[in-house]
Amino acid sequence: MSKRTLCLETIALIAFFSTMPIYSPNVVPLQQCLQDNEAMGHFVIPMLVCAAIASAGSFAHAAMRKPLFEKLFALCSLASPLGYVLCMSYFALALIGAIPIQETLAMLCGIGIGLFLPFVAIRWGKRLVSLRLQQALLVVCIVCASTAAINWAFSFSPPVLLASLFIAMTAFGSFFPCTPSATKRPEHAEAHESENRENTPRCANDSKGEAETVDQGGAVIIPRFVSVLIPALIGLSVFAVHMGVSRESILDSISAEILGNVIASLALVPLCFIKSRQQPVSVLLFSGVAPTAAILLLCYLAIANDFAISNDFISTGIYTFFCMIAQISLALGIAGTHAREFSAPMIWSGFLFLFTTFSVLGLSFGAFLSDGQPFMPQTITALYCAYLVVQSIRSLWTNGLSRFDGDKKHANEESGYARRCDKLAADFSLSPREKEIVTYLGRGHTCSYIAKTLVISESTVYTHARNIYRKIGIQSKEELIQILTSPS
C-alpha cells in the first residue's frame, strides 16, 4: 500500500469513527443545537438496542459457520452504507432544526442506524485485517486522538457547517471501505485463510476425528473466542458502562472523554515501537501497562480524596484510564482479525454487541443514580483495577517459564536462522502459518507465548505444532530446535 493510499484510508477511518453515534462525544456538538432533548431519548435507546440485536445476529451467523440467512446478511451488508448515510443525514439535519423532528421519525432513524452500523463496522474490520498488534495500536491511537480533536472543534462550529461536515464525513467514512483495497494480498493469503478455516474447528479435539468437531460450529469456536479476546471484551464492556454512567466536563469547557482520549493516545504511542522478545506485546499491554496504569490511578484517586483535589482532575484521570483500556482493546480486536482464527464479522459484531449492550446498562444506571453520579464510576474503576492487577499476577505466574524458555534461544536471531526456517518449510511443504509457528518453536517459545503473540488460541497452536512434527518426522520441540540450530 502506498503512503498516499494509507493516509487516505486513515482519514476515512477517522471520518467514520468521529461520526459514529454509539460513541456519545460524537453527537454532543449536534445535541447542543437541539431544543427538545426528549427527541434525543427517542433516538438513542432504539439505536443502541437495534445495534445490539443486529450485532448479536451477525455474531451468531459468523460463529455458526452455516449458510443460514446468508442472503439476508449479504443484502444487509450491501445496503448498509447507503442506509446508514441516509439515516445519519436525517439525524444531523433534524438536530440542527433544518427539518422537523418527530418522535416517531427519530425512533425509526435510530432503528435504521442501529441495524446498519454493525455491517459498516464489519467492512472496516475487513479493511484493517493486514495490521499486526502494534500497527493496529498506532492506528487506533491516531484515530482516537483525531476524533477527540474533531469533536472539540465541532463544539465551536455553526449549526449549518456542523451538520454539513457531519454528513460529508459520514458518507466518506461509510462508503470508503466499499472501494477496492489497495493492499496487495500475499500470494499465499487465500491458502492461509483456508488453512485456518480447516484447522480452527478441529483443535478442540486432539485426534478424535475431524468431522466430529466441524459439526459443533459455534459451540467450539465461541468459548475459544472468549478465551483469546477476554481482556478486550471485558475492557470494552467496562468502558461502555462508565461512558454511559458518567458525563463530565473539565472546567465547564471541554468533555472529559475528549481530553482523556488525547492523553491516553499520547501515552500509548511509544508502546507501538517497543520490540520485546521476553513477552508478547499483548501480554505486555494487558499484564504490564494496564495493571500499572490501574495501580497509578488508584493511588492518584486516594491522594486526590485526601488532599481534596478538584473533581475536574479526578475525572480526567478516570477517563484517561478507561480510554487507554478501550484503545488497547480495539487494537487487540484488529490483531485478532489479522491472525485469521476469527473472522472480522465475528470479532467486530461481538465487540459492538458488548459495547452497545453495556452502554444501555450504563445509561440506565446513570439515570437511576443521577444524584450520586460519582459513586458508580469510581466503584467500577476500583473493581476493574483490582481485576487487572489480579489477572496480571496470574498471567505473569503462569507464563513466566515462557520468558525464560525464549531467552535460551536469543542466539538464534542471526539471519541464518531465518534461512534455515525457510529451507525447512520448503523441504517439508509447511503451510505459511506452520512456517510462522516454526520460527517461534525453534527459539524455544512455549505454545502459550505463541498463542498470545499471534492472538490465537493455544489449542490452535498445539494443532499446528503436531502437524509440523508429523510432517518433519520428529516427536518434540527439542528435536526441532536441534534441527534449526545445527550448522547446515
Side-chain angles (χ1 to χ4, degrees):
M1 182 186 295
S2 66
K3 290 184 179 179
R4 181 178 178 181
T5 303
L6 180 61
C7 181
L8 188 64
E9 187 169 88
T10 304
I11 293 173
L13 181 59
I14 292 171
F16 171 70
F17 201 83
S18 58
T19 55
M20 192 168 53
I22 63 171
Y23 181 47
S24 58
N26 292 342
V27 298
V28 168
L30 285 168
Q31 190 177 2
Q32 293 172 351
C33 306
L34 184 64
Q35 301 297 324
D36 181 12
N37 282 325
E38 290 186 5
M40 179 63 77
H42 291 289
F43 166 81
V44 170
I45 298 300
M47 177 191 66
L48 291 174
V49 170
C50 288
I53 293 172
S55 299
S58 178
F59 179 83
H61 179 259
M64 294 304 174
R65 300 168 181 253
K66 294 181 180 179
L68 296 175
F69 308 110
E70 190 73 36
K71 292 183 179 179
L72 175 62
F73 281 94
L75 180 62
C76 290
S77 179
L78 185 64
S80 59
L82 179 60
Y84 179 68
V85 170
L86 290 176
C87 291
M88 288 289 287
S89 299
Y90 169 80
F91 170 67
L93 293 173
L95 288 185
I96 67 167
I99 56 177
I101 185 168
Q102 300 176 355
E103 293 180 0
T104 303
L105 289 177
M107 185 180 299
L108 292 175
C109 178
I111 291 172
I113 291 175
L115 293 176
F116 290 125
L117 176 60
F119 296 98
V120 180
I122 287 170
R123 285 180 177 270
W124 267 113
K126 293 178 179 178
R127 190 89 181 193
L128 301 173
V129 73
S130 63
L131 300 179
R132 293 181 179 272
L133 180 56
Q134 287 177 288
Q135 296 171 325
L137 183 61
L138 180 60
V139 169
V140 169
C141 289
I142 293 172
V143 170
C144 289
S146 301
T147 297
I150 289 170
N151 287 327
W152 179 77
F154 275 175
S155 63
F156 299 100
S157 301
V160 175
L161 176 61
L162 174 60
S164 301
L165 290 173
F166 198 85
I167 293 170
M169 292 172 65
T170 299
F172 180 48
S174 301
F175 284 107
F176 187 88
C178 303
T179 60
S181 175
T183 303
K184 292 185 178 180
R185 293 168 59 84
E187 295 179 0
H188 61 263
E190 293 298 330
H192 184 105
E193 293 177 7
S194 175
E195 171 213 343
N196 269 286
R197 283 194 296 268
E198 292 173 3
N199 282 324
T200 295
R202 298 177 193 162
C203 57
N205 290 359
D206 290 341
S207 58
K208 296 181 181 179
E210 298 170 2
E212 180 182 347
T213 51
V214 170
D215 293 335
Q216 292 178 8
V220 172
I221 196 171
I222 291 177
R224 199 163 65 253
F225 172 83
V226 173
S227 68
V228 171
L229 295 174
I230 192 167
L233 299 176
I234 295 177
L236 278 180
S237 300
V238 177
F239 174 79
V241 172
H242 183 80
M243 296 300 111
V245 171
S246 182
R247 187 75 61 244
E248 301 176 45
S249 297
I250 306 300
L251 304 175
D252 298 323
S253 61
I254 184 171
S255 169
E257 292 161 298
I258 291 176
L259 187 59
N261 255 318
V262 172
I263 298 174
S265 299
L266 294 175
L268 289 174
V269 162
L271 300 175
C272 303
F273 305 98
I274 289 178
K275 295 182 179 180
S276 173
R277 288 289 182 186
Q278 295 187 351
Q279 287 288 359
V281 177
S282 59
V283 174
L284 177 66
L285 291 174
F286 270 108
S287 295
V289 175
T292 300
I295 293 172
L296 292 174
L297 177 62
L298 290 176
C299 294
Y300 174 72
L301 292 177
I303 294 173
N305 290 328
D306 289 342
F307 291 90
I309 294 176
S310 170
N311 285 333
D312 287 344
F313 293 102
I314 296 176
S315 299
T316 301
I318 294 175
Y319 273 90
T320 299
F321 172 74
F322 278 110
C323 288
M324 183 182 295
I325 295 299
Q327 290 179 25
I328 294 174
S329 300
L330 289 174
L332 193 61
I334 296 173
T337 60
H338 176 81
R340 292 185 174 90
E341 181 169 9
F342 310 110
S343 65
M346 187 172 182
I347 288 179
W348 294 111
S349 56
F351 276 21
L352 271 174
F353 171 73
L354 286 175
F355 186 84
T356 51
T357 300
F358 282 91
S359 292
V360 172
L361 292 176
L363 288 171
S364 302
F365 281 131
F368 181 72
L369 299 170
S370 56
D371 293 333
Q373 198 174 26
F375 169 77
M376 181 57 68
Q378 291 194 25
T379 302
I380 294 173
T381 301
L383 291 174
Y384 184 61
C385 288
Y387 161 78
L388 286 176
V389 173
V390 171
Q391 283 297 106
S392 174
I393 295 172
R394 177 177 174 272
S395 177
L396 293 175
W397 177 264
T398 56
N399 295 299
L401 293 178
S402 174
R403 180 185 63 187
F404 296 112
D405 251 355
D407 288 345
K408 296 176 183 178
K409 298 302 164 187
H410 276 196
N412 292 327
E413 295 300 323
E414 71 276 4
S415 60
Y417 176 75
R419 289 196 298 271
R420 287 193 290 272
C421 288
D422 291 340
K423 185 176 185 304
L424 188 72
D427 290 344
F428 295 97
S429 301
L430 301 183
S431 69
R433 175 48 63 90
E434 289 170 349
K435 175 185 171 183
E436 187 176 24
I437 289 176
V438 157
T439 61
Y440 287 97
L441 291 173
R443 293 188 178 107
H445 291 302
T446 64
C447 289
S448 175
Y449 178 97
I450 298 169
K452 288 180 172 61
T453 301
L454 301 179
V455 197
I456 58 178
S457 64
E458 289 187 37
S459 56
T460 298
V461 178
Y462 284 123
T463 299
H464 285 303
R466 287 195 301 270
N467 291 337
I468 291 167
Y469 299 158
R470 174 178 53 81
K471 289 181 179 181
I472 299 176
I474 58 179
Q475 301 296 323
S476 66
K477 179 171 66 177
E478 287 69 23
E479 293 181 66
L480 177 64
I481 293 172
Q482 186 175 4
I483 292 173
L484 290 174
T485 55
S486 298
S488 301

